[in-house]
Amino acid sequence: MDRYDPKTIEPKWQRIWADEHTWEVSNDFPDDRPKYYVLEMLPYTSGEPHIGHLKNYAVGDAVAHFHRRHGMYVLHPMGYDAFGLPAENHAIKTGQHPRASTDDSIAAFREQMRAWGISIDWTREFGTHQPEYYRWTQWLFLRLYERGLAYRKEAAVKWCPKDATVLANEQVIDGRCERCGTLVEARQLEQWFFKITEYADRLLDDMTRIEWPPHVVTMQENWIGRSEGAEVVFRCEELGIDYPVFTTRPDTLFGATFFVLAPEHPDVLRLNDSQQVHEYVNRALNESAEERGDEHKQKTGVALGHTVTNPATGEQIPMYVADYVLLEYGTGAVMGVPAHDTRDFEFAEAMGLEIRRVIDCGELPCTEDGTMVNSGRFEGLHNREAYEQIVDWLDSEGKGKRAVSYRLRDWLLSRQRYWGCPIPMVHCETDGLVPVPDDQLPVELPHVEDYAPKGKSPLASAEDWVNVTCPKCGGPARRDTDTMDTFVDSSWYFLRYCDPRNDEAPWDREVLKRWMPVDQYIGGVEHAILHLLYARFFVKALADMELLDVQEPFARLFTQGMITRDGAKMSKSKGNAVSPGDYVERFGADTARCYILFIGPPSYDADWQDAGVGGVHRFLSRLWIAASEAPSSDDEPSGSSGLLRKTHWAIDKVTRDMRTGFAFNTAIAAVMELTNEIYRQRDESPPADVRFAVATAGSLIFPFAPHLGAEVYEMMTGRRVWEEPWPEPDPALLAHDEIQLVVQVNGKLVDRLAAPSSASQDELEELARGSDKLAARLDGGEIVKTVVVPGKLVNFVVR
RNA sequence: GCCCGGGUGGCGGAACUCGGUCAGACGCGAUCGGCUUAAACCCGAUUGCCCGAGAGGGCGUGUGGGUUCGAAUCCCACCCCGGGCACCA
């Protein structure tokens, strides 16, 4: 072999790592190395790995290797998110049974991960669709049920007509199904929910305990949407009904001139069942979320012919039904303060209602602060002050109290689809909802041939499976035929990795105590809300049940940017998707991995350009050739040759780039520089220095190109690079005894001089004054000031 | 509308934490040369823009201002691109 041949090198090392179980870690913790848990988000099994996966695992693997070589015991596992709608849709499209297509996809992922040389502990591998796994998903569901955190209720839910299933709030983007883009409809259905809202405050507050990118934190904060305000009671005297509303502006209470209920509010038709109201309500219910949510839409509504009492003024104000009020938020009713709320203002204008200013601010409608007017005894106060006093007053009168409201809704988890984890509950005519006893888990997903979505769960047709005896009374009962949202499966997989073969429990608490939390989590920003919020909720709920001992699953989060190709988003339909397999085949895994890390900071979006791949391959090839041509020497490097200095510079640069974050692009560039320097200086440098430089280049490139790194290091030293500690730079070789002194006139460079790094400020100035070019540049001008920056420059201010 | 990012050569990007070496590391692309019957590969040189034969000069980090001996870096205003939230009371 006389040229760089990844087809030989890569399988060679992969075999060694597999045969020797190099990356496996034991729960017995053989020594006192500190643990480090690095995890990339598990792949979703519809189809083959794409370039985003390559990036994800290239990043994670670099982190894993770096920490191993810093003496840590690194857990780096792998599994598959195998249930769910996209996998099922993929199966329908390819005409395969989801089980078969999922298994094909898993095989493809497993194959690629090995070909990429990712350092995974394969003994911990699993798929979330395996009964050994989802048995515990069901077990956890039952624990949540016991604590009242999983419950059934009838509610207006989001329904995707194309996928024929309900969706979680989080899976509806701009009124459309996140998966297929279809406009979602509202349906009134009884469904399973997780009570994530109970954790809203903790999910918000605990964000200070984790190191996550600020924009992800903001996204979660926005999503939870905590608002502080007051609940104020408006009484309908005529019917003797109290209507509480939530408001963030109790200070504007005196300006409430009307009162509005959401169309879905159960009292609307009781208050008025005229044809006009019926029509209005029906139209609102049939509107898509997108149409209804359009901010620019003309406000509409219908008077209900009743009044409520404004608790501040005692006035009777008219009641309306209007579709700009949402049932899900607050109490499904609002007080209308047209002077100080833009929506209420528009509504009042459309309906011809009174607009009464109660804060002296700008032009109406205005939401600014100011002095209270038309507000009884709160007159003249600043509105912020009035806010507090009005709430206190309401409280003392029993007409209201401080309150907090959230945008976050409970997590709707049931799906009317086949390919998912069955919900372990039975419906008994006598006993109602009955949980399946733990010792009967898992409730296995039956094999169903006709699994196409049809609006009710395909499981309902598996009669043998559906009909069971009630665990409580032994009478006839039916299984719940819905399956769980895939996000349930992925809300706890990182816990199972710690103890994946446990068949007594989902995990051993003591084992979890040692591995958790995940020290570094890596994945796409598209999961900033859904998965990351759900997983945090699960961990908090499980901590409350004393099943584990952390409050947060992911101590640090890194979100990688998307890969585009030649500036365009990649997609199968455009036919511009980059298949990582093709590039691994052509250039080797090391090249593909390095290239994807080299094209830019991994957190940014980056553009894949075919032409660029060759450059990285050339670099790796040059490094290999440098190793094969290195002179022999048994000496240790000594002295301070230029090459030796460059080598230590590279160690320092790569180490700092990896420490300070994920600056892999500049770390790889530094190894390129070192390699270029080896070529420039290898003929003049001592052989020991050349060997050391090449070995170090191999050692430094190892986290990114593990096969080549191991090969080059072995060629130079006969040793295994992953068993070596991460190199440390020699400070003496980082320092230079000579600096380049810059001479400036008025901030513009006129000369560069060599100066001893030990020179004092006066000496530097003296030296600079001696510059020929300075003299030429001065040309009779007068030096009015001199600025000396030690170790860098001398600037003469000249008039 | 509100909240985050970000605007640097033909391109991807460095430097931008601490203002300080004519900004442009590293790589791609391009041009020229070498090797070759030839091409590819490989090797070497050049490559921000403008003027100039050259020496050299001028201009340059989205735009306009400011602070400073000195600004891509700090401050103010504005423009553009990307992302998040948005009839949430």
Side-chain angles (χ1 to χ4, degrees), chain A residues 743-750 765 768-769 771 773-787 794-799:
Chain A
V743 183
Q744 294 180 332
V745 168
N746 294 337
K748 295 200 91 178
L749 179 134
V750 296
E765 185 177 336
R769 279 181 190 278
S771 162
K773 287 187 183 159
L774 174 68
R777 191 60 174 249
L778 280 179
D779 194 29
E782 188 200 350
I783 296 176
V784 295
K785 190 180 172 187
T786 309
V787 181
V794 179
N795 184 24
F796 296 104
V797 184
V798 174
R799 249 203 297 268

Side-chain angles (χ1 to χ4, degrees), chain A residues 83 134 137-139 141-142 145 150-152 190-194 412-418 420-427 433-436 441-446 457 459 465 478-485 488:
Chain A
F83 267 145
Y134 70 72
T137 306
Q138 293 170 339
W139 188 90
F141 175 92
L142 292 174
Y145 176 75
Y151 66 95
R152 259 176 99 79
E190 189 179 290
Q191 297 289 327
W192 282 103
F193 290 85
F194 283 138
L412 196 173
L413 71 111
S414 33
R415 297 287 179 274
Q416 290 71 50
R417 294 287 294 232
Y418 169 67
C421 174
I423 295 172
M425 299 291 289
V426 300
H427 301 263
L433 264 182
V434 181
V436 174
L441 299 181
V443 175
E444 285 209 41
L445 183 68
S457 177
L459 289 183
W465 180 83
R478 292 176 63 80
R479 289 196 189 280
D480 198 303
T481 54
D482 285 351
T483 52
M484 295 187 210
D485 182 4
V488 181

Side-chain angles (χ1 to χ4, degrees), chain A residues 46 100 153 183 227 240 357 444 460-461 473 602 622 661 693:
Chain A
S46 58
K153 77 166 177 200
L183 282 173
S227 300
R357 175 190 287 277
E444 285 209 41
S461 64
C473 67
R622 276 159 62 81

Side-chain angles (χ1 to χ4, degrees), chain A residues 81 118 129 178 221 235 292 455 505 557 599 651:
Chain A
D81 192 11
I118 310 292
H129 67 314
E178 180 209 26
E221 283 170 354
R235 186 171 175 80
R292 179 161 167 194
L557 173 70
I599 46 178
I651 294 171

Side-chain angles (χ1 to χ4, degrees), chain A residues 298-612:
Chain A
Q298 173 74 31
K299 294 270 180 293
T300 58
V302 178
L304 292 171
H306 293 275
T307 60
V308 290
T309 309
N310 179 328
T313 61
E315 287 169 306
Q316 292 301 304
I317 57 174
M319 296 180 84
Y320 283 81
V321 56
D323 66 1
Y324 80 94
V325 176
L326 309 173
L327 181 71
E328 316 91 84
Y329 189 75
T331 61
V334 301
M335 64 181 201
V337 184
H340 304 289
D341 181 283
T342 44
R343 297 151 304 177
D344 294 345
F345 183 82
E346 287 167 17
F347 186 73
E349 293 239 289
M351 297 285 142
L353 295 162
E354 187 196 346
I355 298 169
R356 185 190 301 164
R357 175 190 287 277
V358 292
I359 293 172
D360 188 23
C361 41
E363 201 179 310
L364 297 182
C366 93
T367 53
E368 309 289 305
D369 291 333
T371 307
M372 304 289 291
V373 294
N374 298 325
S375 297
R377 57 198 167 99
F378 301 100
E379 198 92 21
L381 290 174
H382 187 267
N383 68 304
R384 299 281 178 109
E385 215 177 317
Y387 178 114
E388 302 300 330
Q389 295 194 15
I390 289 176
V391 176
D392 288 342
W393 172 76
L394 284 167
D395 203 7
S396 66
E397 296 283 307
K399 290 176 178 169
K401 56 177 192 281
R402 265 165 235 284
V404 175
S405 194
Y406 300 91
R407 212 189 80 102
L408 182 71
R409 311 283 147 72
D410 277 343
W411 170 13
L412 196 173
L413 71 111
S414 33
R415 297 287 179 274
Q416 290 71 50
R417 294 287 294 232
Y418 169 67
W419 190 237
C421 174
I423 295 172
M425 299 291 289
V426 300
H427 301 263
C428 168
E429 281 168 32
T430 318
D431 298 308
L433 264 182
V434 181
V436 174
D438 288 356
D439 59 14
Q440 291 175 28
L441 299 181
V443 175
E444 285 209 41
L445 183 68
H447 187 86
V448 168
E449 273 307 324
D450 179 17
Y451 48 81
K454 40 181 89 63
K456 60 175 192 167
S457 177
L459 289 183
S461 64
E463 285 294 325
D464 292 352
W465 180 83
V466 170
N467 292 311
V468 288
T469 54
C470 171
K472 213 169 183 178
C473 67
R478 292 176 63 80
R479 289 196 189 280
D480 198 303
T481 54
D482 285 351
T483 52
M484 295 187 210
D485 182 4
T486 332
F487 282 104
V488 181
D489 307 323
S490 58
S491 289
W492 73 281
Y493 76 101
F494 45 89
L495 303 172
R496 184 67 177 172
Y497 279 148
C498 298
D499 198 7
R501 304 290 171 249
N502 193 328
D503 57 9
E504 305 286 312
W507 56 76
D508 180 321
R509 187 173 172 179
E510 289 307 309
V511 168
L512 228 57
K513 211 170 185 167
R514 301 210 56 177
W515 285 120
M516 285 297 289
V518 174
D519 295 279
Q520 181 65 61
Y521 200 33
I522 299 154
V525 74
E526 66 273 17
H527 293 108
I529 297 173
L530 291 151
H531 162 61
L532 290 170
L533 194 65
Y534 294 152
R536 294 180 63 218
F537 158 65
F538 253 63
V539 162
K540 288 182 188 308
L542 297 171
D544 287 353
M545 296 176 206
E546 305 201 322
L547 290 169
L548 50 77
D549 300 273
V550 290
Q551 284 296 325
E552 286 289 336
F554 314 121
R556 269 171 297 273
L557 173 70
F558 176 82
T559 53
Q560 55 171 15
M562 218 179 46
I563 306 282
T564 54
R565 185 183 210 176
D566 303 323
K569 233 180 197 175
M570 282 190 223
S571 71
K572 277 183 200 148
S573 52
K574 275 191 219 147
N576 68 340
V578 174
S579 158
D582 291 353
Y583 288 87
V584 172
E585 178 63 24
R586 268 171 65 195
F587 296 102
D590 285 339
T591 296
R593 290 175 60 167
C594 278
Y595 177 67
I596 208 149
L597 297 177
F598 178 67
I599 46 178
S603 61
Y604 289 18
D605 290 351
D607 196 50
W608 179 284
Q609 294 170 339
D610 283 356

Side-chain angles (χ1 to χ4, degrees), chain A residues 660-699:
Chain A
T660 55
F662 290 76
F664 300 153
N665 55 330
T666 50
I668 292 169
V671 185
M672 286 175 171
E673 277 195 62
L674 174 58
T675 305
N676 292 341
E677 198 68 14
I678 291 168
Y679 274 78
R680 269 194 291 271
Q681 301 211 11
R682 59 182 171 176
D683 296 333
E684 299 91 64
S685 300
D689 291 7
V690 175
R691 290 189 78 84
F692 176 69
V694 174
T696 302
S699 174

